[in-house]
Amino acid sequence: MKGFAMIQIGKAGWIEKEKPVAGPYDAICRPLALAPCTSDIHTVFEGAIGERYNMILGHEAVGEVVEVGSEVRDFKVGDRVVVPAITPDWHTREIQEGYHQHSGGMLAGWKFSNIKDGSMAEYFHVNDADMNLALLPDGIPLETAAMIPDMMTTGFHGAENGDIQFGDTVAVLGIGPVGLMAVAGAKLRGAGRIIVVGSRPVCVDVAKFYGATDVVNYRDGDIADQILKITDGKGVDVVIIAGGSVDVMASAVKIAKPGGRISNINYFGEGEFLPVPRVEWGCGMAHKTIRGGLCPGGRVRMEKLIELVKYNRVDPGKLVTHVFKGIENVEKALMLMKDKPKDLIKPVVLVD
Amino acid sequence: MKGFAMIQIGKAGWIEKEKPVAGPYDAICRPLALAPCTSDIHTVFEGAIGERYNMILGHEAVGEVVEVGSEVRDFKVGDRVVVPAITPDWHTREIQEGYHQHSGGMLAGWKFSNIKDGSMAEYFHVNDADMNLALLPDGIPLETAAMIPDMMTTGFHGAENGDIQFGDTVAVLGIGPVGLMAVAGAKLRGAGRIIVVGSRPVCVDVAKFYGATDVVNYRDGDIADQILKITDGKGVDVVIIAGGSVDVMASAVKIAKPGGRISNINYFGEGEFLPVPRVEWGCGMAHKTIRGGLCPGGRVRMEKLIELVKYNRVDPGKLVTHVFKGIENVEKALMLMKDKPKDLIKPVVLVD
Amino acid sequence: MKGFAMIQIGKAGWIEKEKPVAGPYDAICRPLALAPCTSDIHTVFEGAIGERYNMILGHEAVGEVVEVGSEVRDFKVGDRVVVPAITPDWHTREIQEGYHQHSGGMLAGWKFSNIKDGSMAEYFHVNDADMNLALLPDGIPLETAAMIPDMMTTGFHGAENGDIQFGDTVAVLGIGPVGLMAVAGAKLRGAGRIIVVGSRPVCVDVAKFYGATDVVNYRDGDIADQILKITDGKGVDVVIIAGGSVDVMASAVKIAKPGGRISNINYFGEGEFLPVPRVEWGCGMAHKTIRGGLCPGGRVRMEKLIELVKYNRVDPGKLVTHVFKGIENVEKALMLMKDKPKDLIKPVVLVD
Amino acid sequence: MKGFAMIQIGKAGWIEKEKPVAGPYDAICRPLALAPCTSDIHTVFEGAIGERYNMILGHEAVGEVVEVGSEVRDFKVGDRVVVPAITPDWHTREIQEGYHQHSGGMLAGWKFSNIKDGSMAEYFHVNDADMNLALLPDGIPLETAAMIPDMMTTGFHGAENGDIQFGDTVAVLGIGPVGLMAVAGAKLRGAGRIIVVGSRPVCVDVAKFYGATDVVNYRDGDIADQILKITDGKGVDVVIIAGGSVDVMASAVKIAKPGGRISNINYFGEGEFLPVPRVEWGCGMAHKTIRGGLCPGGRVRMEKLIELVKYNRVDPGKLVTHVFKGIENVEKALMLMKDKPKDLIKPVVLVD
């Protein structure tokens, strides 16, 4: 079969591979909708996760089941499914410790286009289908559904880890697709004021649609100064970091109130340290809690997010600015993520 | 001054009283908007909290500050304020234990029309103004603001205590004004499906506006059976009890999943026991947690809820079906709560 | 092989059965130490879980692995293991919802002597060995280790669900072996004063050893009255229910402070309802939270509890008042649990 | 009256001041037992909190009430009281937000020897006596009680913020008096293995008494490497930082497991940033939560800790290596904290 792969650091292209085989608990799917992720760009062109040879890319997919292993109970050939970016090995000690994202080791729940072939191929393999797939109900467009496996679960995890309480003021630093989903998630956890940091008009518009009340542009000065100013020097209850370099941590700590929560969902690809500013962190005493975590995956998470889409609590489809038809356009879609044209938030490729 | 009072159990009417006096930390307000509460009805006509003589009724008010004590720092004459139903004594041991609602004793944070005169008068007294009042910003209509002191904080507390997670299925038992606010609160904590139990068309319409997805009518059979049926026998993640007699607890436990949460915001005025059904509670082993609590009050709570209204996260004004002008109509408004005409959810009296 | 079984309700005895067979993820063990549980008595003589025919009893065991399935990675023949009473199916949807105890349905994580043969036999079967067994380190006596699979995890779960904070006053209602472990668990979560309700001298002595500071005897009057009296009418922060009939719930709610937590670990075998007293529950408004749940099982839980024993944080061996040698004495040990002689807390049978 | 004061940065000595006066809610105490704190040393000799002139030092005291304001209800002249280091203004907005430590601003709950005169004087002033004092019961020695106001509440807060679960492995970095109390607190939250980092024999002995199971000495190599080695590369569930420079954060993150908690109770007096190592923090994705907070103060906290001492859950008196008699020895005791002789953990001055 054909797959669009990282051939080595700096080089991507179509390759031929054997069609994957399902173990007794696994499924083989063909993609119906695919979305490239900024992390695919980091992986290929920046070597963010190290060298890989001929690894098929892609971890955001809606698919159709074409084969199931002998022990799979809940899925059958023909089922349309949402495939999470994170497909843990549920048969590990870490599951019992509470973090499926780290089953088998730190971040090891992330398998597609990291430690195995991804979904940008004619077929892809899903480990433990009963635990990692979720049925896609009728009525949700494929391009909308394609935002659930990573964008929505990641953005919403930012809101969860922020422990937002009714009426809290929340700052979202970065309004790429993940930051936009954090805005939507913050609203759906009960945030009052939502201040976003961003500058691209297409993103600002969608941020407002999802619930942003104030927009801060880094071109207008230091973002911490600006946010402190518009909050009368008080700062915010919750900061969600959804972009930036390691230095963004300093801004986040500065704008958090004593007792505030800082929730990171940004993947930091470079830098030795994230700097926590001593004085603004109260010399260690300010009760400004710092969290950061890989998005939840697995079946139940997908089902719960699907419920939110199905009942119109949120429309992640607003992220999709570009739709392509035909799997051959995966390359074009991926390059869009690299080039970031003005009008882009997120592209989706519909396979059929 | 004049006030509309409970003269004794079974009897309400206008009385004359001395205008209240502010201690050093207190404020005196005149009402701008008043809402009668079902609990005023229980208090007067059912003696729910025991005998009271010549106690002025009312605990849902928006007011104007007309006098402040010498130690009040943050409020001044002329300020328009939201006055919470719960105005704790913040100078008590219980504050440090974490429940201001029970400062000075169980439920003792509830003072208006319970252990002191309420707000249905020319003037009313607010203890500890800096800790118990919140400024009303421009742009929020008075009748909308009058839903914040009790209806909104109570309904939203139901959602908070339900510990709703993204995509959870929630059942709200009872859709009077408090139940309707629980629906809105559940949506704003991230609920997916929201099943409500109710039958009055005016309430059902508003429930749908606030986010209800399914409506169950007790006239169509046992509500637990109905809810189990439409959830394929699985039950729900969270149950919010917002109405009914003590027996509602049995239904709530039956429809909760193992691991589910039951959150009560209903004031039970009668009955010796709430029955927790042994078998459906897993013989004590099902991890179905039962909570119930008086709504949070005080300044910060009001400020946080005001933020939600200000930023259009919710419109509690949809509850208000009847608006009267002139304080003399407080009696008429109260009687509406007693008679419950078909088209009533909540009346408000605008004083000026 | 031979096993000591429930032949039918009211009748127990030795039977012959086929030696169990290990599936690819399973293990077969032979028991090294066995403890009968009061629930075995309820099961056989009161029919608490319904009729069963020729079901081998026992769910508290330390064993030696005699066979492992082809997919078992972490255990091998000859390993000495602690076998939890609760051995969930980790390959179910409920795992992802957070409650392994209810994997596959309410309470369905409890398999031994409930939905499959127990451990009172020459050999017994353990599902999913890598996820459900824990290595027993040297230095822990077998009879001590036999208290971990159920007594310790249950008692400690009572303390966990009570959400005990440093210095809290805790009441433990019932000081059979599970209640005694709740006392030890409460001390190890930071309780200050620990009031126990019990009367048998052998249990009272061990309760004091584990940390009880006050003993209340039901023969001296109503236990709620007594506990309220010795706490100057304030009640306690946390109540752990570890015995009694359904009516114990009324006492528990009465003695809990507003904001208090009631944590049940008692299996209620009879009665239609647990009565929550309306007035003392603050008419639904007192923030007295009621929890109840089956003990955690599985590998990591056992490993964590083993750590506590290994590092001398607690000695569950103090529960063991009677030690028998030879598996044939299982019957005698079980009958002790039925007859409850004065000097009994818990018997253990050492097989070799 | 006489008081031992910071005269300016770098200089301490006895000064004369007016005896303080009690406002209506306040109390005046005379000290019975005083303990100098390392932070007094930082304050005077390193200027850690900036310049102060003639500010009396000391914030760890047991006292006797000699005067109470007109509104004080629960304390009277002659009462012996534990005086917390943190005496918040309970009449502030931040109280309702949940962090009394930051009432009136970040860290502003810390008043003694920071923003007002401390307790190393003939008399000292306590704001809001009913909310900030706790009765000392008979039977607790004064020098033991003097460890409660800061050492015990701080160390135990480290354990609380670590969210320790039964059987967790905990590392305590630094075993000065606060670190030692963190060890005791970790044991009392249910820790299994407790690894401490320290080298002074007097501290190591007491660490073992309080529950340490493993000792790591920085002289034997990098502490992170050592701790990873003795945990088979897995790291620990919880890290409590109780000493070190800002760089200790890097070690803490390295040794925490994915999903682990890092709890800081160290006051960082120097350095611009605390470095969070990017790779070991999972590039922002590892769910290693970082908390840090000033110790809780106020009345209820002191009462709860007193309960723990009263019921022999912990003996903070083991910290006290040097006892002086006579207030004039405060200077000598303080200088001990500066010079840190080999046999010192904590000195106490008994005034009478």
Side-chain angles (χ1 to χ4, degrees), chain C residues 180-252:
Chain C
L180 289 169
M181 281 288 99
V183 172
K187 181 180 164 190
L188 273 189
R189 287 309 284 169
R193 191 179 191 182
I194 301 177
I195 302 164
V196 300
V197 174
S199 58
R200 299 173 68 227
V202 62
C203 294
V204 167
D205 284 353
V206 176
K208 287 179 181 168
F209 171 82
Y210 282 141
T213 58
D214 301 73
V215 180
V216 165
N217 188 329
Y218 69 92
R219 293 204 189 91
D220 298 332
D222 178 80
I223 62 163
D225 290 347
Q226 289 187 69
I227 291 174
L228 286 170
K229 194 175 168 195
I230 63 175
T231 56
D232 300 322
K234 289 180 197 160
V236 301
D237 298 292
V238 176
V239 185
I240 302 175
I241 301 176
S245 68
V246 288
D247 291 331
V248 71
M249 181 57 74
S251 299

Side-chain angles (χ1 to χ4, degrees), chain C residues 95-147:
Chain C
I95 294 301
Q96 299 186 17
E97 295 190 302
Y99 283 95
H100 65 251
Q101 294 95 326
H102 309 295
S103 60
M106 188 162 73
L107 310 186
W110 174 29
K111 300 194 186 314
F112 287 128
S113 70
N114 180 15
I115 55 181
K116 76 174 196 183
D117 280 330
S119 46
M120 291 179 170
E122 289 177 81
Y123 302 100
F124 59 93
H125 170 273
V126 180
N127 59 302
D128 206 343
D130 282 333
M131 296 293 268
N132 283 324
L133 291 177
L135 278 178
L136 178 66
D138 292 339
I140 299 178
L142 288 174
E143 57 267 37
T144 299
M147 297 298 100

Side-chain angles (χ1 to χ4, degrees), chain A residues 227-339:
Chain A
I227 292 174
L228 286 170
K229 193 175 169 197
I230 63 175
T231 57
D232 300 322
K234 290 179 195 160
V236 302
D237 299 292
V238 177
V239 185
I240 303 176
I241 301 176
S245 69
V246 288
D247 291 331
V248 71
M249 182 57 75
S251 299
V253 172
K254 281 176 190 170
I255 63 176
K257 288 183 191 173
R261 285 83 66 199
I262 294 151
S263 168
N264 179 63
I265 46 175
N266 191 36
Y267 186 94
F268 293 102
E270 289 181 302
E272 195 174 1
F273 295 110
L274 292 96
V276 175
R278 182 184 63 85
V279 172
E280 288 88 351
W281 206 49
C283 305
M285 303 275 121
H287 290 98
K288 299 184 183 182
T289 297
I290 302 171
R291 289 197 187 86
L294 185 63
C295 64
R299 174 180 179 171
V300 168
R301 175 67 167 186
M302 292 300 108
E303 289 176 351
K304 295 266 184 182
L305 298 182
I306 289 167
E307 290 278 288
L308 292 176
V309 178
K310 176 178 161 188
Y311 290 114
N312 299 309
R313 304 308 187 199
V314 63
D315 177 9
K318 285 274 168 192
L319 297 178
V320 183
T321 51
H322 295 65
V323 178
F324 297 89
K325 303 223 169 172
I327 195 170
E328 65 279 8
N329 287 308
V330 151
E331 183 168 7
K332 206 179 289 178
L334 188 76
M335 286 305 141
L336 274 183
M337 293 305 283
K338 185 155 182 268
D339 302 335

